[in-house]
Amino acid sequence: MIRINTKASLVCIAVTFLAPASAQTGAWTPPVALSTGGQGWEAAAAIDGNGNSLAIWDERTSEDHIWSRAKPSAGNWGRVTQVSPGRLGLQTTLVFPAVRISAAGFATAVWTDANGVWTADRPPTGTWNPAQLLVPGASGPVFVMNSRGDAAVAWTVGGPADPHSTVMAVVRPAGESWTSQQTIASGVHIKADHAGIGESGAVIVTWESYHAVCTVEGCALSNFRLFASRQDVGAGAWVHSGVLLGPDADSHGARVALDSHGRAMLVALSSSGAYTSATQGISGGAWSPFNTVVDPQALSIVSDLASDNAGNVTMVYESIGFSTSQALAVSGSISGNAWSPPVVLSGSDTSVGSVYFALAPNGAALAVWLSSSATPEVHAVVRATATGIWGTPVTVSVTGSTEIGPEAAAVNASGDAIVIYSGYNAAAVHTEYASNYTP
């Protein structure tokens, strides 16, 4: 996911909504300013099975801290609480916090500063536990969690200029503690791509080996080979796939999703520029031959890939042409490794960016993007079920600003959803705004 933060003045005027289609009969609330007292950046959002919303962000005052606010399903946003530890501010301004929440309301936040990867938990009682330094010295974590609360964090140690690299992980069964650090793979040049976790607790991490030639002007990377490593609950060991694709000139950017039985779908960019998919069975084992998902025939950026409990998979991506861009979705099935033709989510928008996508365990879905027209707006569209149709895009942002952008999206099985976007308020303070959807 690419996050884009922008800086300019925001003039707060009335909220304008586009007319909804019959497939989207719910309502979005007017945006609420979440961050106060400083500059709000890099927000993340989650929503539990009862419709209770949670937001975290990097609040920049004299010192940076991770702040949080919560909203009960039928109430208003509560007071701001601090999630990051103590009086000492974050040791960096690029923390990229993430938050996940179980259906029962147990939340976990993960972020990074110069000391490493931090985490904090918030039980359903609503009070954050003290933060802990989960992985000292690490950066770039990939954090996944299922609706039960099983979780995993993966990261890479080393880089192109290093003579040795390692892909590492820690996992946490719901209600238990994080494991010690586990080595998934090691080599001269390797890196983690993405990770997925199923309702069974099975975790898959996609990673690549590559060749690097480094000079004072930088590093040239090539010969990317794709792998996937899996750990089932209680197994302890990571089971490796062997080379799935490559060697290819560019990264495969592979993403993976699992259903409630442990079946998996992996989608990767092929050497021809098409997205291709392979599947894996309940207990792991060999991956199927690759099948074409979609061939955009243009530059494209994947927002995310996700599966519902039944194995219905959705991938949302941005297709970028010479003078236009669109947000699209493709739907598939793990059981058959088959895909439907892409559908355009962004309606009449001809210039989109910063596309976000969220999927609930039953297939309810939400997509959000920035419409970069003469009057930039944040648009959102929902889908009630995995086999249902997408609604018509709706404006969820305050209009009148040339500098706004979405930062987070979440949806639950009831179709309740939240979008967080950012922009400058009338006082030129960078502010996080939230809008909630009730079906």
mmCIF file of all heavy atoms in Angstrom, residues 330-356:
data_model
loop_
_atom_site.group_PDB
_atom_site.id
_atom_site.type_symbol
_atom_site.label_atom_id
_atom_site.label_comp_id
_atom_site.label_asym_id
_atom_site.label_seq_id
_atom_site.Cartn_x
_atom_site.Cartn_y
_atom_site.Cartn_z
ATOM 1 N N VAL A 330 -11.093 -7.481 -9.230
ATOM 2 C CA VAL A 330 -11.319 -8.790 -9.825
ATOM 3 C C VAL A 330 -11.668 -9.752 -8.695
ATOM 4 O O VAL A 330 -11.141 -9.654 -7.587
ATOM 5 C CB VAL A 330 -10.106 -9.305 -10.616
ATOM 6 C CG1 VAL A 330 -9.964 -8.580 -11.928
ATOM 7 C CG2 VAL A 330 -8.823 -9.171 -9.801
ATOM 8 N N SER A 331 -12.579 -10.683 -8.965
ATOM 9 C CA SER A 331 -13.014 -11.668 -7.967
ATOM 10 C C SER A 331 -12.666 -13.062 -8.454
ATOM 11 O O SER A 331 -12.788 -13.371 -9.646
ATOM 12 C CB SER A 331 -14.523 -11.561 -7.738
ATOM 13 O OG SER A 331 -14.864 -10.284 -7.220
ATOM 14 N N GLY A 332 -12.245 -13.912 -7.519
ATOM 15 C CA GLY A 332 -11.854 -15.259 -7.871
ATOM 16 C C GLY A 332 -12.227 -16.254 -6.792
ATOM 17 O O GLY A 332 -12.835 -15.903 -5.780
ATOM 18 N N SER A 333 -11.839 -17.497 -7.017
ATOM 19 C CA SER A 333 -12.135 -18.576 -6.084
ATOM 20 C C SER A 333 -10.883 -19.403 -5.865
ATOM 21 O O SER A 333 -10.220 -19.809 -6.831
ATOM 22 C CB SER A 333 -13.251 -19.462 -6.639
ATOM 23 O OG SER A 333 -13.397 -20.643 -5.868
ATOM 24 N N ILE A 334 -10.551 -19.651 -4.593
ATOM 25 C CA ILE A 334 -9.392 -20.486 -4.308
ATOM 26 C C ILE A 334 -9.617 -21.908 -4.819
ATOM 27 O O ILE A 334 -8.710 -22.543 -5.357
ATOM 28 C CB ILE A 334 -9.095 -20.497 -2.796
ATOM 29 C CG1 ILE A 334 -8.684 -19.096 -2.319
ATOM 30 C CG2 ILE A 334 -8.000 -21.506 -2.463
ATOM 31 C CD1 ILE A 334 -8.415 -19.006 -0.830
ATOM 32 N N SER A 335 -10.835 -22.409 -4.678
ATOM 33 C CA SER A 335 -11.113 -23.802 -5.036
ATOM 34 C C SER A 335 -10.862 -24.091 -6.512
ATOM 35 O O SER A 335 -10.420 -25.174 -6.876
ATOM 36 C CB SER A 335 -12.550 -24.166 -4.673
ATOM 37 O OG SER A 335 -13.473 -23.361 -5.393
ATOM 38 N N GLY A 336 -11.114 -23.134 -7.381
ATOM 39 C CA GLY A 336 -10.944 -23.380 -8.804
ATOM 40 C C GLY A 336 -9.838 -22.586 -9.450
ATOM 41 O O GLY A 336 -9.562 -22.765 -10.636
ATOM 42 N N ASN A 337 -9.203 -21.690 -8.685
ATOM 43 C CA ASN A 337 -8.193 -20.778 -9.237
ATOM 44 C C ASN A 337 -8.709 -20.117 -10.514
ATOM 45 O O ASN A 337 -8.016 -20.059 -11.536
ATOM 46 C CB ASN A 337 -6.880 -21.513 -9.517
ATOM 47 C CG ASN A 337 -5.725 -20.544 -9.775
ATOM 48 O OD1 ASN A 337 -5.836 -19.347 -9.534
ATOM 49 N ND2 ASN A 337 -4.611 -21.092 -10.267
ATOM 50 N N ALA A 338 -9.966 -19.647 -10.445
ATOM 51 C CA ALA A 338 -10.613 -19.004 -11.592
ATOM 52 C C ALA A 338 -11.022 -17.593 -11.206
ATOM 53 O O ALA A 338 -11.366 -17.326 -10.051
ATOM 54 C CB ALA A 338 -11.828 -19.801 -12.040
ATOM 55 N N TRP A 339 -11.006 -16.687 -12.195
ATOM 56 C CA TRP A 339 -11.265 -15.275 -11.943
ATOM 57 C C TRP A 339 -12.304 -14.732 -12.912
ATOM 58 O O TRP A 339 -12.365 -15.141 -14.070
ATOM 59 C CB TRP A 339 -9.976 -14.471 -12.087
ATOM 60 C CG TRP A 339 -8.955 -14.822 -11.060
ATOM 61 C CD1 TRP A 339 -8.059 -15.861 -11.129
ATOM 62 C CD2 TRP A 339 -8.735 -14.186 -9.805
ATOM 63 N NE1 TRP A 339 -7.285 -15.897 -9.998
ATOM 64 C CE2 TRP A 339 -7.674 -14.874 -9.167
ATOM 65 C CE3 TRP A 339 -9.318 -13.093 -9.166
ATOM 66 C CZ2 TRP A 339 -7.194 -14.507 -7.909
ATOM 67 C CZ3 TRP A 339 -8.837 -12.717 -7.921
ATOM 68 C CH2 TRP A 339 -7.794 -13.426 -7.297
ATOM 69 N N SER A 340 -13.096 -13.768 -12.413
ATOM 70 C CA SER A 340 -14.052 -13.055 -13.254
ATOM 71 C C SER A 340 -13.351 -11.885 -13.922
ATOM 72 O O SER A 340 -12.272 -11.464 -13.486
ATOM 73 C CB SER A 340 -15.213 -12.543 -12.397
ATOM 74 O OG SER A 340 -14.733 -11.581 -11.459
ATOM 75 N N PRO A 341 -13.933 -11.323 -14.978
ATOM 76 C CA PRO A 341 -13.347 -10.129 -15.589
ATOM 77 C C PRO A 341 -13.338 -8.967 -14.588
ATOM 78 O O PRO A 341 -14.159 -8.906 -13.669
ATOM 79 C CB PRO A 341 -14.292 -9.838 -16.759
ATOM 80 C CG PRO A 341 -14.974 -11.133 -17.039
ATOM 81 C CD PRO A 341 -15.123 -11.808 -15.710
ATOM 82 N N PRO A 342 -12.412 -8.020 -14.744
ATOM 83 C CA PRO A 342 -12.368 -6.876 -13.821
ATOM 84 C C PRO A 342 -13.588 -5.989 -13.955
ATOM 85 O O PRO A 342 -14.170 -5.868 -15.037
ATOM 86 C CB PRO A 342 -11.094 -6.139 -14.236
ATOM 87 C CG PRO A 342 -10.842 -6.559 -15.643
ATOM 88 C CD PRO A 342 -11.351 -7.959 -15.759
ATOM 89 N N VAL A 343 -13.971 -5.364 -12.835
ATOM 90 C CA VAL A 343 -15.045 -4.375 -12.828
ATOM 91 C C VAL A 343 -14.471 -3.050 -12.361
ATOM 92 O O VAL A 343 -13.589 -2.999 -11.501
ATOM 93 C CB VAL A 343 -16.220 -4.801 -11.919
ATOM 94 C CG1 VAL A 343 -16.871 -6.059 -12.429
ATOM 95 C CG2 VAL A 343 -15.759 -4.991 -10.481
ATOM 96 N N VAL A 344 -14.958 -1.965 -12.951
ATOM 97 C CA VAL A 344 -14.497 -0.629 -12.583
ATOM 98 C C VAL A 344 -15.226 -0.179 -11.321
ATOM 99 O O VAL A 344 -16.453 -0.145 -11.281
ATOM 100 C CB VAL A 344 -14.739 0.370 -13.727
ATOM 101 C CG1 VAL A 344 -14.338 1.780 -13.293
ATOM 102 C CG2 VAL A 344 -13.962 -0.047 -14.967
ATOM 103 N N LEU A 345 -14.466 0.150 -10.290
ATOM 104 C CA LEU A 345 -15.050 0.633 -9.031
ATOM 105 C C LEU A 345 -15.216 2.139 -9.018
ATOM 106 O O LEU A 345 -16.108 2.664 -8.342
ATOM 107 C CB LEU A 345 -14.169 0.224 -7.850
ATOM 108 C CG LEU A 345 -13.877 -1.260 -7.663
ATOM 109 C CD1 LEU A 345 -13.006 -1.461 -6.429
ATOM 110 C CD2 LEU A 345 -15.174 -2.043 -7.525
ATOM 111 N N SER A 346 -14.363 2.844 -9.737
ATOM 112 C CA SER A 346 -14.277 4.296 -9.595
ATOM 113 C C SER A 346 -15.254 5.069 -10.466
ATOM 114 O O SER A 346 -15.144 6.298 -10.582
ATOM 115 C CB SER A 346 -12.840 4.752 -9.900
ATOM 116 O OG SER A 346 -12.363 4.185 -11.099
ATOM 117 N N GLY A 347 -16.216 4.362 -11.080
ATOM 118 C CA GLY A 347 -17.277 5.049 -11.800
ATOM 119 C C GLY A 347 -16.756 5.964 -12.884
ATOM 120 O O GLY A 347 -15.935 5.579 -13.713
ATOM 121 N N SER A 348 -17.212 7.203 -12.861
ATOM 122 C CA SER A 348 -16.827 8.176 -13.883
ATOM 123 C C SER A 348 -15.517 8.892 -13.570
ATOM 124 O O SER A 348 -15.075 9.728 -14.352
ATOM 125 C CB SER A 348 -17.943 9.212 -14.049
ATOM 126 O OG SER A 348 -18.172 9.905 -12.826
ATOM 127 N N ASP A 349 -14.879 8.580 -12.427
ATOM 128 C CA ASP A 349 -13.603 9.200 -12.103
ATOM 129 C C ASP A 349 -12.560 8.808 -13.149
ATOM 130 O O ASP A 349 -12.430 7.631 -13.500
ATOM 131 C CB ASP A 349 -13.109 8.757 -10.725
ATOM 132 C CG ASP A 349 -13.989 9.287 -9.605
ATOM 133 O OD1 ASP A 349 -14.759 10.224 -9.850
ATOM 134 O OD2 ASP A 349 -13.891 8.758 -8.475
ATOM 135 N N THR A 350 -11.810 9.767 -13.607
ATOM 136 C CA THR A 350 -10.810 9.501 -14.650
ATOM 137 C C THR A 350 -9.380 9.659 -14.154
ATOM 138 O O THR A 350 -8.434 9.378 -14.893
ATOM 139 C CB THR A 350 -11.019 10.447 -15.838
ATOM 140 O OG1 THR A 350 -10.938 11.809 -15.384
ATOM 141 C CG2 THR A 350 -12.370 10.192 -16.498
ATOM 142 N N SER A 351 -9.220 10.093 -12.903
ATOM 143 C CA SER A 351 -7.879 10.229 -12.336
ATOM 144 C C SER A 351 -7.953 9.871 -10.859
ATOM 145 O O SER A 351 -8.447 10.651 -10.051
ATOM 146 C CB SER A 351 -7.356 11.662 -12.515
ATOM 147 O OG SER A 351 -6.068 11.797 -11.943
ATOM 148 N N VAL A 352 -7.487 8.662 -10.503
ATOM 149 C CA VAL A 352 -7.577 8.195 -9.133
ATOM 150 C C VAL A 352 -6.186 7.898 -8.594
ATOM 151 O O VAL A 352 -5.221 7.729 -9.339
ATOM 152 C CB VAL A 352 -8.465 6.937 -9.017
ATOM 153 C CG1 VAL A 352 -9.821 7.167 -9.658
ATOM 154 C CG2 VAL A 352 -7.777 5.724 -9.628
ATOM 155 N N GLY A 353 -6.082 7.811 -7.287
ATOM 156 C CA GLY A 353 -4.826 7.469 -6.629
ATOM 157 C C GLY A 353 -5.087 7.059 -5.201
ATOM 158 O O GLY A 353 -6.201 7.191 -4.685
ATOM 159 N N SER A 354 -4.049 6.565 -4.527
ATOM 160 C CA SER A 354 -4.126 6.173 -3.116
ATOM 161 C C SER A 354 -5.324 5.261 -2.858
ATOM 162 O O SER A 354 -6.185 5.557 -2.040
ATOM 163 C CB SER A 354 -4.201 7.408 -2.219
ATOM 164 O OG SER A 354 -3.095 8.245 -2.409
ATOM 165 N N VAL A 355 -5.381 4.136 -3.574
ATOM 166 C CA VAL A 355 -6.517 3.220 -3.468
ATOM 167 C C VAL A 355 -6.336 2.305 -2.260
ATOM 168 O O VAL A 355 -5.293 1.664 -2.108
ATOM 169 C CB VAL A 355 -6.656 2.372 -4.743
ATOM 170 C CG1 VAL A 355 -7.860 1.446 -4.641
ATOM 171 C CG2 VAL A 355 -6.789 3.280 -5.963
ATOM 172 N N TYR A 356 -7.355 2.229 -1.401
ATOM 173 C CA TYR A 356 -7.363 1.356 -0.227
ATOM 174 C C TYR A 356 -8.514 0.360 -0.352
ATOM 175 O O TYR A 356 -9.560 0.672 -0.918
ATOM 176 C CB TYR A 356 -7.515 2.164 1.060
ATOM 177 C CG TYR A 356 -6.270 2.910 1.459
ATOM 178 C CD1 TYR A 356 -5.885 4.079 0.799
ATOM 179 C CD2 TYR A 356 -5.455 2.458 2.486
ATOM 180 C CE1 TYR A 356 -4.735 4.768 1.141
ATOM 181 C CE2 TYR A 356 -4.299 3.138 2.850
ATOM 182 C CZ TYR A 356 -3.950 4.283 2.175
ATOM 183 O OH TYR A 356 -2.803 4.958 2.519
#
